[in-house]
Amino acid sequence: MNHLTDNEWEQIVSLYIDGELDADEKTKLEAYLATHPVAAREVEVLRTAKRSLSSKEKLPANDWFWLKLSNRLEGRFSHQPYRHAASKPSIAISTLAVVTFFVIGVIYFKDAPMFHHYFIEKKLQVESVYRNNIMTGNILPLFSNLNNDDVLNFALSGSIAIDSSNNTSLQVKNSDDSGSQIQIIRNEDPSVIPVTMNDFADEIGISHNQREVVDSILGSYKEKLQASVLVSENDEVAIHAELVDLNRAMVSTIAACLEPPQRTRFKRFLDHRKAPYALVAVNSPTVPSHIILNKIPRFSNSNNYVVISPDTVEIAEMTINVDSIREVARRQEMKYRKIITERMVAELTDRQRRMEENFVGMGQNRVRVHSTSGAFQIHFEHSAPVGIPGGMVEMVKPRIPAPEFPRVQFNHVTVVGDSAFSFEIPADDQTVRVFKRLPKGEFRFEIVDSMMREPKMKLMFKSPSAKRDFESRLKEMNEQDEDLMDLDSLLRESELTPEQPAVKLKKPGKESEVELMM
Amino acid sequence: MAKPAVINIINANIPNEQKSDDALIMLFQSGEQEVFRYLVERYREKVRNVIFSIFNDADQVDDISQEVFIKVFHALPNFRFESSFYTWVYRIAVNKCRDELRKKKVKRFFSFHSFEKTTNTKIENLATTTFDDENIKGVIEESLKKLPEKFRMPIILKDIDGMSYDEIADVLDCEVGTVKSRLSRGRTMLREILMPILV
């Protein structure tokens, strides 16, 4: 090696660290290095450099790359595809800036008009910064690749998977008295088996034509669903206020096109799956398909979105071009759902944890955004009804979560004849007045206090068979010589047996009423 | 070189994402421009990372990568299958980076002193610290940035992107011998910077 020029030596070392020297040259070089520590150190430095460079960290993948590129290739530099109008800024930082300017104004500016002018100017600047930075960059529908089965499942359950592998889902909940909420949560119960259109059609027994109508209904609402949840390149999620009520509208519209017997089956279908809405108008006239399909509103009446970004929560008014959404959805096959669940949701929830709770106003409605670990929740003080297509009857109502049921224990039951019960209840101030035959074959018994004042609880049997079933259960319990029987567990048992009537609880005023419905 | 016989591949009943680069290019050249996305998806991360290796600045990567693929899109109708698509895209990416570096050089002319000072200070600071793997990585990457571009580029393509000499020659549009000599010269320069720090 000693006879080599510097250039030749450099080249041999370079080939050596690339593993390109032939065996003979390699042996010679290694023998030389073994006896020349300075040269060996030089070679070792280069090996370290090569090792270090070859393990250089890769950039995180950019899953927005193609979308951005395709927009540029299609000459879409100059417009943002969806966002059109501006927002109504009402943000914490804006408020803080305003307060700061106010204080500065009071201290330093005695001249009111000058202060006013300065104040307005600065306020507009702050507002403008936020207005111009909401949902900038590319905006995409979170649910771009939906099929009708996905939409049907959302209608029936109020839940839609964002990333099925991660079990992250978006859920909506709506009730008449406690407002409504949208949640993005992890760890959805994986045991829930999705329903397909075929399951639905078989179980309800719909005709081929009706199936086409239901498919069209789902197709129409699919567009609304796609336009309801948007994500931006800058880690923002925009959720349309109407999303909370979309599944109610869907179930009601589907029910409207069914015949009454089919509705009875549909009702059972919903009950069996504990769907968030129960069918109530089973016997309403069937609405012709052309009326239904013509009246599903394609565009929303309101353009209000709740926009959650890593920095703020906004109510923004945005006009969505549904056709563009559909076009993007068609082209869009990127796996950005994964990004949403793994990165965006994590960032947003982290931010929400830091800020605890965030309130913004949407007209008369107050919207609260709240986060727990790995999830966030948007709560609307009042629901924002989508509205059932014009001229159609509202066919569903929210299933009310079971209220705290007053536990009633009694130690003696007598069944008297066909229509009366006798109870003894150990509590000092309670006794039971039994039975009341109502018109149309209904029966009721009541629990009242010892002064026989207003009933505290009523049980109503909608039919003689329901009453007979209840009686036989009471008899069985008597025969087992139980000292204490628990009325609400008895009711729960009834609820748990699918063949038995479901228990439905209502709270009219201060009293509780229990209906056993067939 | 004549076009390879890829007609049978084009017509094969396999999804676009599984088709070869050449088959996709043939489809593109026959008017199916939508297949371009499959080529982009296949190479976008490689291109982004080579640009990142050259600039070491994540903020610039996506803009430059987009420019590269726009250029690829416009040049693809004239692609003559004389090299692999992979090395051809790399060549466009490297040339684009060279353009950007040239622009930077002009800017640097006006603030040369501060640039040099910053770079040297970074390395000197590292020279006084205790080395762990991360520090060594930092020193090596900073040292690599000090090399002239014609010596730096082969090292990036060889050591970071793992290309063969032939591929590097194709990308840099030079002879394999030139690649070898630039690599050895570049490594010598790198060693001269690193020896006082690491040994």
Side-chain angles (χ1 to χ4, degrees):
Chain A
M1 294 284 160
N2 289 327
H3 63 279
L4 295 175
T5 65
D6 284 351
N7 278 349
E8 286 167 339
W9 165 251
E10 285 166 7
Q11 195 142 147
I12 282 182
V13 169
S14 184
L15 291 169
Y16 174 65
I17 67 166
D18 284 338
E20 299 280 349
L21 274 187
D22 62 39
D24 186 37
E25 285 175 318
K26 188 181 169 199
T27 310
K28 281 184 193 165
L29 178 63
E30 285 175 349
Y32 178 81
L33 294 176
T35 54
H36 294 77
V38 174
R41 272 200 300 277
E42 288 177 0
V43 171
E44 189 49 40
V45 165
L46 288 180
R47 284 161 85 101
T48 304
K50 185 179 174 76
R51 217 171 26 244
S52 170
L53 291 172
S54 64
S55 64
K56 185 177 165 67
E57 215 167 286
K58 301 288 181 203
L59 281 174
N62 180 354
D63 289 300
W64 294 88
F65 191 86
W66 168 251
L67 183 75
K68 206 167 187 173
L69 180 65
S70 63
N71 282 346
R72 291 181 71 175
L73 288 170
E74 287 168 25
R76 294 184 180 179
F77 299 89
S78 57
H79 81 282
Q80 295 170 6
Y82 311 119
R83 182 163 174 265
H84 181 62
S87 62
K88 286 189 283 179
S90 57
I91 21 186
I93 294 175
S94 159
T95 311
L96 186 66
V98 166
V99 170
T100 308
F101 288 126
F102 178 80
V103 172
I104 292 168
V106 168
I107 296 170
Y108 295 103
F109 297 93
K110 302 296 181 192
D111 187 336
M114 187 193 293
F115 159 69
H116 186 71
H117 178 73
Y118 183 79
F119 168 80
I120 295 292
E121 192 182 307
K122 290 298 175 191
K123 181 173 179 287
L124 290 174
Q125 281 175 10
V126 173
E127 287 178 356
S128 164
V129 167
Y130 275 92
R131 192 163 47 240
N132 293 332
N133 285 291
I134 288 177
M135 298 297 280
T136 51
N138 287 296
I139 302 175
L140 290 170
L142 176 59
F143 303 115
S144 59
N145 298 319
L146 297 177
N147 57 37
N148 279 6
D149 284 347
D150 298 328
V151 183
L152 178 67
N153 277 291
F154 176 69
L156 298 176
S157 67
S159 175
I160 184 164
I162 292 175
D163 182 342
S164 54
S165 63
N166 274 353
N167 291 324
T168 301
S169 63
L170 182 145
Q171 293 183 1
V172 300
K173 289 182 179 170
N174 202 348
S175 69
D176 285 338
D177 54 354
S178 59
S180 51
Q181 65 188 35
I182 299 168
Q183 298 180 100
I184 292 183
I185 57 169
R186 288 183 189 274
N187 301 325
E188 190 193 15
D189 179 6
S191 63
V192 175
I193 299 165
V195 176
T196 65
M197 260 305 285
N198 289 339
D199 298 336
F200 173 79
D202 291 347
E203 206 161 328
I204 310 300
I206 56 176
S207 66
H208 179 71
N209 286 346
Q210 282 176 312
R211 180 167 178 155
E212 284 185 353
V213 174
V214 174
D215 274 331
S216 299
I217 292 169
L218 294 174
S220 298
Y221 280 104
K222 180 165 72 182
E223 286 180 5
K224 290 173 80 74
L225 186 55
Q226 283 174 339
S228 290
V229 189
L230 308 171
V231 293
S232 85
E233 196 176 356
N234 302 325
D235 289 351
E236 295 162 315
V237 177
I239 297 178
H240 199 288
E242 283 184 0
L243 179 66
V244 287
D245 210 39
L246 210 53
N247 60 330
R248 179 214 292 252
M250 277 193 256
V251 175
S252 200
T253 311
I254 291 168
C257 77
L258 301 176
E259 305 287 341
Q262 293 171 325
R263 285 199 198 124
T264 305
R265 291 193 287 274
F266 189 32
K267 180 180 180 310
R268 261 206 310 268
F269 185 88
L270 294 172
D271 293 343
H272 180 60
R273 286 169 176 78
K274 295 187 170 53
Y277 292 101
L279 199 56
V280 288
V282 174
N283 294 315
S284 300
T286 303
V287 182
S289 59
H290 67 276
I291 293 180
I292 292 175
L293 296 177
N294 285 334
K295 289 192 171 177
I296 293 174
R298 187 163 182 239
F299 296 102
S300 168
N301 294 327
S302 152
N303 295 323
N304 281 335
Y305 282 76
V306 179
V307 180
I308 305 168
S309 76
D311 304 317
T312 187
V313 174
E314 275 278 17
I315 302 298
E317 198 175 322
M318 300 193 294
T319 303
I320 301 303
N321 182 337
V322 177
D323 291 328
S324 293
I325 291 251
R326 196 190 301 114
E327 172 59 19
V328 171
R330 190 183 65 76
R331 290 190 286 125
Q332 177 59 29
E333 291 164 23
M334 297 185 309
K335 294 182 174 65
Y336 60 86
R337 284 182 174 198
K338 194 166 174 353
I339 307 171
I340 299 301
T341 53
E342 289 181 358
R343 183 168 56 79
M344 182 187 290
V345 170
E347 282 186 20
L348 290 176
T349 53
D350 184 49
R351 171 213 158 277
Q352 288 296 327
R353 269 205 304 281
R354 287 199 306 275
M355 297 190 60
E356 294 184 352
E357 288 192 348
N358 213 328
F359 286 94
V360 284
M362 183 188 277
Q364 297 297 312
N365 208 347
R366 204 154 79 126
V367 182
R368 178 166 59 94
V369 178
H370 175 72
S371 173
T372 54
S373 180
F376 67 84
Q377 188 180 83
I378 307 165
H379 184 267
F380 298 86
E381 224 165 54
H382 309 290
S383 47
V386 175
I388 305 304
M392 286 164 49
V393 178
E394 168 71 278
M395 308 204 68
V396 296
K397 63 177 181 179
R399 245 175 245 283
I400 301 168
E404 193 64 31
F405 193 87
R407 290 182 69 81
V408 183
Q409 289 190 324
F410 44 93
N411 60 5
H412 183 71
V413 178
T414 311
V415 179
V416 184
D418 288 332
S419 58
F421 307 94
S422 170
F423 292 83
E424 282 180 21
I425 293 180
D428 290 336
D429 62 347
Q430 285 186 325
T431 184
V432 173
R433 187 169 64 190
V434 191
F435 68 86
K436 200 178 231 179
R437 186 185 284 273
L438 299 171
K440 300 178 187 172
E442 297 172 350
F443 296 83
R444 171 190 286 176
F445 72 88
E446 298 170 341
I447 299 172
V448 295
D449 65 19
S450 55
M451 301 298 289
M452 294 290 178
R453 289 176 296 206
E454 283 298 302
K456 289 187 173 177
M457 182 185 297
K458 297 175 184 175
L459 279 89
M460 181 191 290
F461 301 98
K462 284 279 187 185
S463 69
S465 61
K467 176 178 166 289
R468 276 197 298 277
D469 181 66
F470 190 68
E471 279 176 17
S472 66
R473 284 174 169 273
L474 284 174
K475 274 182 186 169
E476 278 171 25
M477 292 172 87
N478 268 341
E479 283 162 11
Q480 288 164 6
D481 287 326
E482 288 184 22
D483 287 339
L484 286 175
M485 286 186 290
D486 190 342
L487 184 58
D488 47 349
S489 62
L490 175 66
L491 293 173
R492 272 204 302 276
E493 280 175 24
S494 300
E495 186 184 24
L496 288 173
T497 312
E499 292 77 24
Q500 297 303 320
V503 175
K504 194 161 161 256
L505 304 168
K506 287 199 299 186
K507 259 190 164 177
K510 289 181 180 175
E511 67 187 18
S512 298
E513 180 170 294
V514 181
E515 285 183 4
L516 296 183
M517 296 177 66
M518 288 302 285
Chain B
M1 189 187 292
K3 284 182 182 180
V6 293
I7 301 299
N8 58 335
I9 302 172
I10 293 172
N11 294 332
N13 189 21
I14 53 174
N16 281 335
E17 57 265 41
Q18 291 172 20
K19 285 193 167 94
S20 70
D21 291 351
D22 286 348
L24 290 172
I25 295 165
M26 294 288 279
L27 285 170
F28 182 91
Q29 290 179 339
S30 66
E32 291 187 36
Q33 293 195 338
E34 62 273 17
V35 300
F36 185 62
R37 68 168 298 175
Y38 299 105
L39 294 167
V40 173
E41 297 293 357
R42 210 169 277 178
Y43 293 108
R44 66 159 203 239
E45 294 310 322
K46 284 182 185 296
V47 168
R48 288 177 74 244
N49 277 296
V50 76
I51 293 168
F52 179 58
S53 304
I54 292 167
F55 287 96
N56 239 0
D57 178 1
D59 292 342
Q60 293 190 64
V61 166
D62 283 319
D63 281 344
I64 298 175
S65 309
Q66 296 263 322
E67 294 297 330
V68 167
F69 279 107
I70 287 170
K71 198 159 184 185
V72 169
F73 181 85
H74 290 302
L76 200 53
N78 301 320
F79 183 76
R80 293 194 301 274
F81 301 92
E82 288 170 354
S83 62
S84 71
F85 178 72
Y86 164 62
T87 55
W88 184 68
V89 170
Y90 258 67
R91 194 185 310 156
I92 291 175
V94 166
N95 287 337
K96 179 72 191 163
C97 290
R98 283 173 168 161
D99 290 346
E100 293 298 318
L101 287 169
R102 267 194 287 276
K103 283 184 205 165
K104 271 180 179 288
K105 236 180 202 170
V106 174
K107 284 183 195 164
R108 209 192 301 167
F109 176 77
F110 295 102
S111 59
F112 184 74
H113 178 70
S114 62
F115 172 83
E116 286 294 305
K117 195 178 168 190
T118 311
T119 313
N120 286 333
T121 308
K122 273 185 192 171
I123 293 173
E124 280 157 18
N125 286 345
L126 284 166
T128 60
T129 58
T130 312
F131 289 124
D132 55 23
D133 284 351
E134 280 311 303
N135 277 345
I136 290 172
K137 258 183 195 298
V139 170
I140 291 167
E141 284 172 22
E142 284 297 325
S143 305
L144 184 63
K145 275 165 71 177
K146 289 179 72 69
L147 265 51
E149 177 248 307
K150 76 171 183 177
F151 298 116
R152 181 154 46 106
M153 215 63 92
I155 295 179
I156 289 171
L157 297 175
K158 180 70 190 163
D159 291 349
I160 300 180
D161 289 296
M163 284 185 164
S164 68
Y165 294 150
D166 286 343
E167 286 171 332
I168 298 169
D170 206 355
V171 170
L172 298 179
D173 203 13
C174 61
E175 298 299 321
V176 172
T178 310
V179 171
K180 288 180 183 172
S181 67
R182 284 186 190 170
L183 265 174
S184 67
R185 184 74 197 113
R187 282 173 172 150
T188 303
M189 293 162 84
L190 192 61
R191 191 196 69 214
E192 283 166 2
I193 299 170
L194 292 173
M195 278 295 279
I197 304 168
L198 297 185
V199 178

